[in-house]
């Protein structure tokens, strides 16, 4: 196995007196799909947001590729943080699309602002990615005219516009009706098949079981157990994991 593309050690994060992450460590190999499951309020989203520098941690280390986003609780300068986080795309629970921009405008905004690519290249890439997520006919539509599943597929395409090495998903289907969940999971399955490195915080146990290389169970701000889907779902070792799985499966 290659050196991990994500290495997290002893991560700690508190909001006031509330300790949300307690000594969290994980490593993710290149092309690995890691599903993070656990009860609400266990720190899963905070951990994921810390990887993308949407939360600042109180202690610990995060290495992305060869570079440290945070080393023993200390962050580098803003330019370095921006350079490191630009290698990651993030897909949120509530899509976070710009309502005043068309679908195409949402995809093209970040590359136009940050990359020195010719406009024609950006436009071509946007069309390719809309086709990839099955929305090639929606480029001129506005988010308000899309279903939740379509919005989330646009959000995935938007994250891919910057050619990230890593995709982070924060409960990408939890705001969707069940019948729309499948179309989003299908795009994620396709990305997994293309060997995209993905960390997915999810309530979708079926997706975790079918698509993830590894499943990590988190509770009370720490990882309790980790294993292949067969190990974790088929023969969990920890009592906390068993209780959780009995409740959700």
């Amino acid at each position: 196995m290659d050196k991990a593309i994500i290495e997290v050690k002893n991560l700690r994060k508190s909001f006031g007196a509330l300790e949300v992450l307690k000594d969290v460590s994980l490593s993710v190999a290149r092309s690995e799909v890691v599903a993070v499951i656990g009860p609400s309020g266990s720190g899963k989203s905070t951990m994921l947001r810390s990887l993308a520098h949407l939360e600042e941690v109180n202690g610990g280390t995060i290495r992305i590729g060869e570079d440290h986003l945070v080393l023993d609780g200390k962050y580098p300068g803003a330019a370095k943080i921006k350079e490191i986080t630009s290698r990651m795309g993030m897909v949120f629970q509530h899509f976070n699309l710009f309502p005043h921009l068309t679908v195409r405008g949402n995809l093209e905004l970040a590359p136009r602002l940050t990359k020195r690519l010719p406009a024609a290249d950006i436009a071509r890439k946007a069309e390719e990615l809309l086709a990839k997520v099955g929305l090639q006919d929606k480029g001129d539509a506005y988010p308000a005219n899309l279903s939740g599943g379509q919005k989330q597929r646009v959000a995935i395409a938007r994250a891919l516009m910057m050619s990230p090495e890593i995709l982070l998903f924060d409960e990408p289907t939890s705001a969707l009706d069940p019948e729309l969940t499948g179309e989003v999971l299908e795009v994620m399955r396709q990305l997994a098949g293309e060997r995209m490195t993905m960390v997915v915080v999810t309530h979708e146990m079926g997706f975790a079981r079918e698509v993830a290389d590894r499943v990590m169970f988190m509770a009370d701000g720490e990882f309790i157990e980790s294993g292949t889907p067969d190990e974790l779902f088929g023969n969990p070792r920890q009592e906390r994991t068993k209780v959780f799985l009995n409740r959700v499966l």
Side-chain angles (χ1 to χ4, degrees), residues 69-239:
L69 176 64
V70 56
L71 180 60
D72 296 330
K74 294 186 175 59
Y75 286 89
K80 187 66 180 173
I81 290 173
K82 192 171 180 184
E83 191 265 309
I84 294 169
T85 55
S86 72
R87 299 179 221 154
M88 293 178 274
M90 182 129 179
V91 179
F92 299 89
Q93 183 176 343
H94 293 293
F95 327 126
N96 291 19
L97 298 176
F98 292 107
H100 64 291
L101 295 178
T102 63
V103 164
R104 193 176 287 111
N106 267 281
L107 264 65
E108 293 181 0
L109 180 65
R112 283 181 192 278
L113 291 176
T114 57
K115 294 271 170 100
R116 312 279 186 279
L117 277 180
D121 291 358
I122 293 173
R124 189 178 314 115
K125 181 157 191 183
E127 295 310 316
E128 284 169 8
L129 287 171
L130 285 177
K132 183 186 186 84
V133 300
L135 293 171
Q136 53 271 57
D137 57 339
K138 296 292 184 190
D140 296 321
Y142 285 87
N145 302 120
L146 301 178
S147 72
Q150 289 171 331
K151 287 178 192 169
Q152 196 58 294
R153 285 186 283 153
V154 172
I156 293 171
R158 180 178 64 178
L160 290 168
M161 279 295 289
M162 302 296 284
S163 303
E165 296 172 45
I166 298 162
L167 275 184
L168 307 174
F169 292 86
D170 189 7
E171 303 199 0
T173 59
S174 62
L176 301 179
D177 295 333
E179 66 269 22
L180 300 176
T181 294
E183 63 193 50
V184 174
L185 294 180
E186 191 47 50
V187 173
M188 293 170 67
R189 272 192 200 94
Q190 186 186 336
L191 291 170
E194 294 166 7
R195 312 298 292 147
M196 170 63 81
T197 307
M198 293 160 49
V199 182
V200 185
V201 169
T202 184
H203 288 307
E204 288 292 329
M205 298 302 141
F207 175 83
R209 184 176 252 157
E210 288 166 45
V211 182
D213 299 301
R214 189 154 47 100
V215 182
M216 303 188 72
F217 173 65
M218 195 172 195
D220 296 324
E222 51 196 343
F223 284 118
I224 306 288
E225 184 167 357
S226 165
T228 66
D230 284 351
E231 289 165 351
L232 199 103
F233 289 111
N235 190 22
R237 299 185 306 276
Q238 302 294 331
E239 191 58 34

